[in-house]
Structures are given as C-alpha cells and as structure tokens.
Amino acid sequence: HVQLVESGGGSVLTGGSLRLSCLVSGYTVNNMAWFRQAPGKEREGVTSIYTTNSSSYILYVDSVKGRFTLSKDNAKNTLYLQMNSLKPEDSAMYYCAARTSWVAGVMLSGEKYNYFGQGTQVTVS
C-alpha cells in the first residue's frame, strides 16, 4: 500500500518561491506527478516524472515551464517540486500522485494515477 505525504506549502508573495516535498512509502514507484486544484476549478496536472534505472523523463504543463522544477531523490524516496517566480494563479491545493503499475511515459491525467496524497496548500498573493 502506497502512502504519499506532502509538505512545504505555505503563503508567499508574488515572485516568491516554495519547495514542495512528497515522501513516498510502501512501494517503489516509477510514475509520479504533482496536481493542483483551486477552488471552483478542475484538477490540473502540473508536472510528471517517469524514472528508469538510468534516466528520468519529466513533463511540465505550459503555465509552469521555466518556473517549476521537478526532481526525485530515490535514496530518500522523496519527490520535490521547486516553485519559483510564483504567481497568484499558482494558488491551489497541490497533490502528489503515484502510479503503482509501471508505464513507460509521463502523464498529466489524474485518472492514470491510483494514489494521491492529502495535499498541501499554496497561496500566492
């Protein structure tokens, strides 16, 4: 059983930075992602990572390219999302997601993942 625990959210001013963390336990996961959902809006895939023994493949939604950086520390079983140059439109609950059945590719569709964390709130004003 996979457990995902997010942390690192908070309130920042426009242009500020935050780093989100997602600690993974219970499974070795090759497909992970970050999603976000703002009040009254649909869930949005932000970034996805697919890892093999030798490579990592990462996809970003256009709105965060150049500002957000996804990384994964396999030794610490932790997924990170470094968010720079934050904008008010980045405000949302951010969720870490994992897929336990291996797929060779990056995916930003929520239906592709079978585990989600409890979320961490990001507020930019």
Side-chain angles (χ1 to χ4, degrees):
H1 184 71
V2 177
Q3 287 189 315
L4 306 173
V5 180
E6 303 101 329
S7 60
S11 296
V12 296
L13 297 177
T14 298
S17 298
L18 286 171
R19 188 176 80 154
L20 306 184
S21 299
C22 174
L23 177 62
V24 185
S25 61
Y27 210 90
T28 299
V29 179
N30 297 94
N31 299 95
M32 297 193 69
W34 285 97
F35 291 81
R36 65 186 180 187
Q37 188 166 20
K41 294 188 176 182
E42 293 187 356
R43 182 175 59 192
E44 176 188 35
V46 177
T47 179
S48 169
I49 185 169
Y50 160 59
T51 55
T52 67
N53 288 337
S54 57
S55 301
S56 294
Y57 303 88
I58 297 175
L59 175 67
Y60 298 97
V61 69
D62 286 347
S63 60
V64 307
K65 285 180 181 177
R67 301 188 298 121
F68 289 13
T69 303
L70 182 66
S71 61
K72 189 168 182 271
D73 187 332
N74 290 324
K76 295 183 178 180
N77 293 325
T78 302
L79 185 71
Y80 299 102
L81 182 62
Q82 178 66 44
M83 306 187 296
N84 298 329
S85 302
L86 283 162
K87 305 175 181 180
E89 51 264 43
D90 294 318
S91 297
M93 185 72 80
Y94 282 71
Y95 299 91
C96 177
R99 178 186 174 103
T100 50
S101 58
W102 177 85
V103 169
V106 288
M107 303 167 290
L108 286 179
S109 174
E111 64 185 23
K112 300 296 186 181
Y113 297 87
N114 52 343
Y115 286 95
F116 286 81
Q118 82 288 350
T120 185
Q121 179 68 41
V122 171
T123 303
V124 186
S125 58

